[in-house]
Amino acid sequence: QAAADPMSSSDVPEDGPKETSSVSQNISDADAFKILLEMKMKKRQKKPILPSTVTELDTEDGSKVYVVGTAHFSDSSKKDVVKTIQEVQPDVVVVELCQYRVSMLKMDEKTLLKEAKEINLEKLQQAIKQNGVMSGLMQMLLLKVSAHITEQLGMAPGGEFREAFKEASKVPFCKFHLGDRPIPVTFKRAIAALSFWQKVKLAWGLCFLSDPISKDDVEKCKQKDLLEQMMAEMIGEFPDLHRTIVSERDIYLTYMLKQAAKQIELPRASETEPRKYIPAVVVGVVGMGHVPGIEKNWNSDLNIQEIMSVPPPSASSKIFKFVIKATVFGLMGYGCYRIGQRTVQFILSMPAAQSYLQKLTEIRSQH
């Protein structure tokens, strides 16, 4: 981490390695922390030059939060994230991911691109097993939307989060936090908010999504994230669904950013030394569609307990679940019937079978 602020060769004495070795043996952990912290503060810009997509927020104790609004399929958003982290040298980086999507941080672009394009039965079974039938189907439909964009653009989602993860690892004492509400909670609350016919209508719209998308369209959507804009167009008539997928997550993201922005305690040489705290610097990486909601909720007292609860399934959910199961079993039964019918027709069309049937007919006619 000390290499993050390299010294020029002229500053290194000829007997540098020996001297460094002796110093490293005598220096305390608290002193080492202070040295690295000073190096970090020197790199931290007093008036950072930030991209236009960054919103600056302050806490009551003087901590600063820089929220980078991104489009999830944008190269320029990745550059904005890197630039912001390098400029402000944060203590914490918070990204719009939960533990169920953390795998995308360590996967390479090629693998992610392949994974994002493939929506298969195995993924459907995994989603249903993890989230239940209704929420699993909703998750797969949203993955289909993401896969559609991926196929159109040839770009894997989450590039700005991977850049944030890489860049945060280069900053001394920088922590990396997952700031989004868990997917199962979001989808279960979303399903509970819809009536039976609303679920059918939404599923139908997602299944037949096929509008072409260009990279220019993505950049035009920098003021409102593309994926969320497409979703907003489809769920515009379902305000309860918009509340659970967007507004509630605005509250959750705001809460996590404020938690990350608590003051940092400096190391102490001894237990008797008084505790000292300094304001924190935080970088948040979220979809552009969440930025207005975060600004709106920033100065409010937030309680996330209510939006973390999962309501029991409604009567319409039970009916829809029954209809889905009945449809699946019905299709399977019809498929078996059709396969059996075609098999019988194929056997009867064979010369040997026709000859055998002709003999049976002759025997019957004789009797």
Side-chain angles (χ1 to χ4, degrees):
Q1 289 181 341
D5 189 20
M7 299 171 65
S8 64
S9 58
S10 60
D11 293 330
V12 181
E14 293 180 358
D15 59 344
K18 293 180 182 179
E19 183 177 338
T20 302
S21 177
S22 62
V23 170
S24 63
Q25 291 175 358
N26 298 326
I27 194 169
S28 67
D29 290 342
D31 289 337
F33 184 95
K34 288 178 181 177
I35 291 171
L36 288 172
L37 186 61
E38 286 175 5
M39 292 168 59
K40 179 177 178 177
M41 292 302 180
K42 285 181 181 178
K43 289 190 69 176
R44 183 178 285 173
Q45 303 292 325
K46 292 183 178 180
K47 291 185 179 179
I49 303 172
L50 301 173
S52 59
T53 52
V54 176
T55 300
E56 185 177 338
L57 301 169
D58 299 308
T59 65
E60 293 178 356
D61 56 21
S63 296
K64 288 189 176 295
V65 177
Y66 300 92
V67 183
V68 188
T70 67
H72 294 316
F73 293 84
S74 168
D75 284 328
S76 63
S77 285
K78 292 191 283 187
K79 294 175 183 176
D80 289 352
V81 169
V82 172
K83 171 75 171 174
T84 303
I85 293 176
Q86 288 178 347
E87 285 286 317
V88 305
Q89 293 290 294
D91 303 300
V92 186
V93 171
V94 181
V95 295
E96 186 197 331
L97 287 177
C98 69
Q99 64 266 36
Y100 294 93
R101 292 184 291 161
V102 73
S103 59
M104 72 163 56
L105 293 176
K106 296 185 178 181
M107 294 173 70
D108 61 87
E109 197 80 9
K110 186 177 180 181
T111 305
L112 274 167
L113 194 58
K114 182 180 177 182
E115 285 286 322
K117 287 181 180 179
E118 293 180 355
I119 305 295
N120 51 37
L121 183 60
E122 183 180 349
K123 286 186 178 180
L124 176 60
Q125 290 174 335
Q126 185 180 356
I128 290 176
K129 184 178 179 181
Q130 179 179 298
N131 303 320
V133 175
M134 290 303 307
S135 298
L137 289 172
M138 176 66 77
Q139 181 177 348
M140 290 307 297
L141 290 171
L142 291 175
L143 281 176
K144 184 180 182 297
V145 177
S146 180
H148 172 63
I149 301 174
T150 298
E151 188 174 3
Q152 292 282 328
L153 300 179
M155 183 187 300
E160 72 275 32
F161 302 138
R162 288 189 292 281
E163 290 298 325
F165 183 66
K166 292 176 187 176
E167 209 60 37
S169 67
K170 301 175 186 177
V171 180
F173 312 115
C174 183
K175 296 178 181 179
F176 191 87
H177 290 184
L178 303 176
D180 202 1
R181 184 172 64 179
I183 281 180
V185 176
T186 296
F187 284 129
K188 286 175 183 177
R189 287 184 62 84
I191 290 298
L194 296 176
S195 67
F196 171 75
W197 291 113
Q198 284 177 327
K199 291 168 188 171
V200 173
K201 191 172 183 180
L202 177 64
W204 181 268
L206 288 170
C207 283
F208 292 93
L209 176 71
S210 59
D211 295 334
I213 304 160
S214 68
K215 290 188 178 182
D216 289 339
D217 292 330
V218 179
E219 295 309 320
K220 289 176 183 177
C221 293
K222 284 297 291 291
Q223 298 306 312
K224 193 172 186 183
D225 180 60
L226 177 64
L227 182 57
E228 290 176 7
Q229 177 165 323
M230 293 179 68
M231 285 300 302
E233 290 174 357
M234 287 183 288
I235 68 177
E237 56 188 293
F238 310 136
D240 290 334
L241 189 61
H242 185 275
R243 172 177 54 79
T244 54
I245 292 180
V246 181
S247 301
E248 289 184 358
R249 287 172 61 223
D250 289 346
I251 294 172
Y252 191 91
L253 287 164
T254 306
Y255 178 84
M256 295 302 288
L257 286 168
K258 293 179 80 169
Q259 289 296 306
K262 290 183 176 180
Q263 286 191 328
I264 299 170
E265 182 182 353
L266 295 177
R268 294 182 293 165
S270 66
E271 292 295 328
T272 58
E273 186 178 338
R275 296 178 184 273
K276 295 180 181 178
Y277 297 86
I278 60 172
V281 174
V282 177
V283 169
V285 182
V286 304
M288 182 62 76
H290 290 292
V291 176
I294 292 172
E295 287 187 274
K296 177 183 175 182
N297 293 305
W298 189 250
N299 295 316
S300 304
D301 292 328
L302 304 175
N303 184 355
I304 63 170
Q305 295 302 318
E306 182 181 347
I307 62 172
M308 289 298 291
S309 63
V310 178
S314 62
S316 64
S317 294
K318 293 178 181 177
I319 294 171
F320 192 58
K321 185 176 180 179
F322 173 78
V323 170
I324 291 292
K325 285 186 176 180
T327 302
V328 170
F329 284 117
L331 289 172
M332 289 175 63
Y334 179 72
C336 292
Y337 166 74
R338 292 292 296 173
I339 291 172
Q341 189 180 44
R342 288 180 181 178
T343 302
V344 171
Q345 290 176 351
F346 175 73
I347 293 173
L348 292 177
S349 67
M350 296 175 66
Q354 290 180 353
S355 175
Y356 181 73
L357 289 172
Q358 187 176 359
K359 287 180 181 179
L360 284 176
T361 305
E362 291 174 356
I363 292 171
R364 282 189 175 184
S365 62
Q366 289 174 2
H367 291 285

